[in-house]
Amino acid sequence: MTVPARGAGEGQEAVEILATARALVDPELCAAVDSLPGAMRRVARYHLGWEHADGTPAPGNGGKAIRPALVLTAARALGGERETAVRAAAAVELTHNFTLLHDDVMDRDTTRRHRPTAWTVFGDAAAILTGDALQSLAQRVLAADPHPGAAEAAVRLARCVEELCEGQFMDCSLEGRAPDQVTLDECLAVAEAKTGALLGCACAIGALYAGAGREAADALDGFGRQAGLAFQLIDDVIGIWGDPGCTGKPAGADLTARKKSLPVVAALTSGTRAAGELAELYGGPPGEDEPARTADAVERAGGRDWALAHAADRMSGALGQLAGAVPDPESAGGLLALAEFVTRRTH
């Protein structure tokens, strides 16, 4: 596949794809969530941005809808109709939000999408149980879908959840180890399991709903995984150097939490003088001005440059996988626009 030149219009194309996905999927998502028992329904509606903590309506900020957009766009790229894959897209989005609820509890994150996380409002147990319910609900949505691709999609999504859990398990184990005992390969494996797996699964499910064979579904899974790794690398960069006004999180929050993100581990393993400074900073409690000093050490040790270069390499790999599944550039354009959008964002 020859990749056409992309410019400002590519970003607008992705914005339009995401808006269309949100418009198509939100009614299905809302109907599914409203079928939950009352207590968990309330927590889920708060987490998705549809309600305030007191149950009154909120303007809604359920995220960018990247994963459901990938389902619908992959289906269309392979000759299917987006409308037939709406339930599958909703199931993927439910699964994604199950992971967010659990991750926030385990990571003790207090802010998501510019407001307090669900566990800080309703408690740990409520957030965990609501996450469990969303995972179950995702499978129920697929089980009730008469589309011929639903059964295989359910199997793929269930396997993906197992991989997501493995990734989180690995991530938690890394957090308990000293900075010099963590390797880049381990961190990349965590990123693929926690981020790449669901993006790949979303693309593969879209292929199944288009009636494509397993080979095409596997190729799109590979595309999503590679794009997902690029996504995570950029996300880690934003977690250190992003604008709090855009991210909704305090500046340097990942550094204050001593997260072993990919730029940090790349810096720690660089063998530079700045790597030694960073190891010393990461070995002690954060001070008042420490996040800025730590971010500077990560950058001087090459962590930022490595992450951006590696993200570009992963995007190149993603394009190769996309070409294998969708040789026609015109048909592949939507998926390419989404991949470039999420890896060129600033928040």
Side-chain angles (χ1 to χ4, degrees):
M1 176 178 69
T2 302
V3 179
R6 317 292 287 184
E10 168 267 320
Q12 184 57 38
E13 181 184 358
V15 169
E16 291 171 359
I17 290 170
L18 291 169
T20 298
R22 181 59 76 197
L24 287 170
V25 173
D26 268 3
E28 187 72 37
L29 197 62
C30 187
V33 168
D34 283 350
S35 73
L36 290 173
M40 288 178 287
R41 179 170 67 246
R42 181 184 174 194
V43 178
R45 290 185 65 84
Y46 171 83
H47 168 74
L48 289 163
W50 301 339
E51 290 181 357
H52 296 296
D54 62 3
T56 57
N61 180 20
K64 295 182 177 67
I66 291 166
R67 290 154 190 83
L70 285 171
V71 175
L72 302 182
T73 307
R76 189 174 187 181
L78 288 168
E81 296 294 330
R82 285 181 302 199
E83 290 73 14
T84 65
V86 168
R87 286 188 180 179
V92 169
E93 185 71 344
L94 289 166
T95 300
H96 174 53
N97 281 280
F98 133 68
T99 69
L100 297 182
L101 281 163
H102 282 198
D103 282 0
D104 285 344
V105 173
M106 285 183 275
D107 295 341
R108 309 316 284 173
D109 285 337
T110 58
T111 305
R112 180 173 294 281
R113 298 166 183 159
H114 302 275
R115 62 182 192 159
T117 46
W119 72 268
T120 67
V121 176
F122 300 100
D124 288 4
I128 292 168
L129 291 168
T130 301
D132 292 342
L134 291 184
Q135 182 196 356
S136 175
L137 182 58
Q139 287 294 327
R140 177 154 63 88
V141 167
L142 285 175
D145 191 351
H147 192 283
E152 188 170 350
V155 172
R156 278 194 179 254
L157 190 58
R159 287 177 177 163
C160 179
V161 167
E162 293 168 5
E163 190 173 354
L164 291 169
C165 292
E166 180 187 25
Q168 182 65 7
F169 190 96
M170 290 189 292
D171 196 18
C172 291
S173 71
L174 294 184
E175 292 304 319
R177 286 156 55 181
D180 60 357
Q181 295 177 346
V182 177
T183 69
L184 266 177
D185 284 345
E186 287 175 315
C187 290
L188 286 167
V190 168
E192 179 172 355
K194 287 188 61 175
T195 304
L198 189 55
L199 268 67
C201 183
C203 294
I205 286 175
L208 294 173
Y209 270 68
R214 186 163 296 176
E215 185 175 346
D218 287 345
L220 279 188
D221 184 281
F223 160 76
R225 282 175 181 271
Q226 293 295 317
L229 277 169
F231 175 98
Q232 186 60 56
L233 285 154
I234 299 301
D235 199 60
D236 284 354
V237 169
I238 293 169
I240 298 174
W241 294 282
D243 178 358
C246 295
T247 64
K249 294 184 178 183
D254 286 359
L255 299 176
T256 302
R258 297 295 188 253
K259 290 188 177 180
K260 297 179 180 70
S261 63
L262 286 159
V264 167
V265 175
L268 286 168
T269 56
S270 67
T272 63
R273 172 184 251 175
E277 295 175 31
L278 178 61
E280 186 175 344
L281 287 165
Y282 248 54
E288 187 174 335
D289 65 341
E290 189 266 339
R293 292 171 55 211
T294 306
D296 179 64
V298 174
E299 185 151 18
R300 285 187 290 110
R304 185 174 190 167
D305 287 343
W306 177 88
L308 294 174
H310 205 70
D313 288 344
R314 293 295 181 169
M315 268 300 294
S316 178
L319 295 181
Q321 294 281 2
L322 181 58
V326 191
D328 175 37
E330 189 69 27
S331 299
L335 287 171
L336 179 59
L338 285 174
E340 293 193 343
F341 176 81
V342 299
T343 55
R344 291 183 179 178
R345 73 199 196 286
T346 57
H347 61 276

